[in-house]
Amino acid sequence: DTAVSQTPKYLVTQMGNDKSIKCEQNLGHDTMYWYKQDSKKFLKIMFSYNNKELIINETVPNRFSPKSPDKAHLNLHINSLELGDSAVYFCASSLTSGGAAQYFGPGTRLTVL
Amino acid sequence: DQQVKQNSPSLSVQEGRISILNCDYTNSMFDYFLWYKKYPAEGPTFLISISSIKDKNEDGRFTVFLNKSAKHLSLHIVPSQPGDSAVYFCAASVRADGLTFGKGTHLIIQP
């Protein structure tokens, strides 16, 4: 009965490939997020999204794009993967877009060879 | 440019004693602060939060204190239990923005 789930848990791929990570939340939350945890263990926001607004961290390359088929899902598409994209990616959701706790998925470890 | 800093990479505390984890921030626009606990190979788990209009919030064994003038917050865990051993992240947000995280403090509870 997982609140925020991500698939796959592990993803190993070659440079230049295009891949997607899926995220689903069953909490009825309005806002979803993607975070990247790099090799130095910093967790950094990539996107926040609700049905009205997408906020993009300006440091995120445009090879990364979030896609939301409905309120419960926010998938992350990555084009032309690079070695530096290797990291753990976490999806999260919150009831509202401000002043609310965010609940995280288990993470997807992406390795680009 | 680290806006949220956790200056202690690790902290060792004896079981039953108080654990105090500290966090400093530089952005005076932050209006919501949170603490997360993380085990290896899992996502961060929300513990407790505090709004900038308060200076203390308590939930069971966990208490968060906020000192806005010093731009400092702390998490107190009392009494500390073996299951509390994990990495603790301090986080902050401005209105609808995503969370800005510190680097984490690895708390080790010794029997």
Side-chain angles (χ1 to χ4, degrees):
Chain A
D1 195 19
T2 309
V4 182
S5 59
Q6 295 178 229
T7 53
K9 190 162 176 63
Y10 301 96
L11 182 55
V12 181
T13 188
Q14 300 286 332
M15 265 197 320
N17 284 351
D18 302 337
K19 289 293 177 186
S20 296
I21 305 172
K22 293 186 177 180
C23 177
E24 177 181 1
Q25 55 97 1
N26 62 8
L27 297 166
H29 285 171
D30 281 339
T31 307
M32 297 183 72
Y33 310 83
W34 278 103
Y35 288 84
K36 178 181 180 180
Q37 186 177 34
D38 60 24
S39 57
K40 294 181 181 177
K41 304 300 182 188
F42 265 116
L43 267 161
K44 291 185 181 176
I45 181 72
M46 299 177 72
F47 305 101
S48 65
Y49 182 81
N50 63 25
N51 58 6
K52 299 173 187 173
E53 191 177 14
L54 171 66
I55 301 174
I56 303 171
N57 183 321
E58 60 189 15
T59 66
V60 175
N62 57 14
R63 298 180 295 104
F64 289 78
S65 58
K67 297 260 182 359
S68 179
D70 55 58
K71 202 173 86 163
H73 297 83
L74 184 66
N75 303 325
L76 182 64
H77 295 267
I78 316 170
N79 295 325
S80 304
L81 277 157
E82 299 177 358
L83 293 175
D85 297 334
S86 295
V88 182
Y89 292 85
F90 290 99
C91 175
S93 73
S94 63
L95 187 61
T96 61
S97 57
Q102 294 180 21
Y103 294 86
F104 283 76
T108 295
R109 181 174 290 278
L110 171 66
T111 303
V112 182
L113 303 175
Chain B
D1 179 25
Q2 271 184 266
Q3 297 188 63
V4 177
K5 299 177 186 179
Q6 293 177 257
N7 291 320
S8 300
S10 66
L11 175 68
S12 184
V13 174
Q14 205 164 9
E15 183 180 355
R17 307 292 284 265
I18 184 171
S19 296
I20 300 175
L21 297 109
N22 293 303
C23 178
D24 297 297
Y25 62 94
T26 57
N27 187 346
S28 56
M29 299 297 291
F30 285 140
D31 57 6
Y32 192 63
F33 304 88
L34 310 90
W35 283 94
Y36 284 82
K37 174 181 179 180
K38 188 179 182 304
Y39 294 117
E42 294 184 11
T45 300
F46 169 70
L47 276 176
I48 192 167
S49 63
I50 187 166
S51 155
S52 60
I53 62 172
K54 295 187 173 180
D55 54 19
K56 177 183 175 181
N57 189 25
E58 194 171 352
D59 184 2
R61 296 186 299 115
F62 302 93
T63 304
V64 56
F65 296 91
L66 175 62
N67 182 335
K68 285 191 294 293
S69 59
K71 294 193 178 69
H72 178 85
L73 66 157
S74 61
L75 175 68
H76 293 209
I77 307 172
V78 56
S80 299
Q81 297 174 354
D84 296 331
S85 293
V87 178
Y88 288 77
F89 288 96
C90 170
S93 70
V94 179
R95 294 180 207 92
D97 290 352
L99 297 176
T100 300
F101 281 85
K103 251 184 126 167
T105 296
H106 187 192
L107 176 64
I108 302 160
I109 304 302
Q110 294 184 334

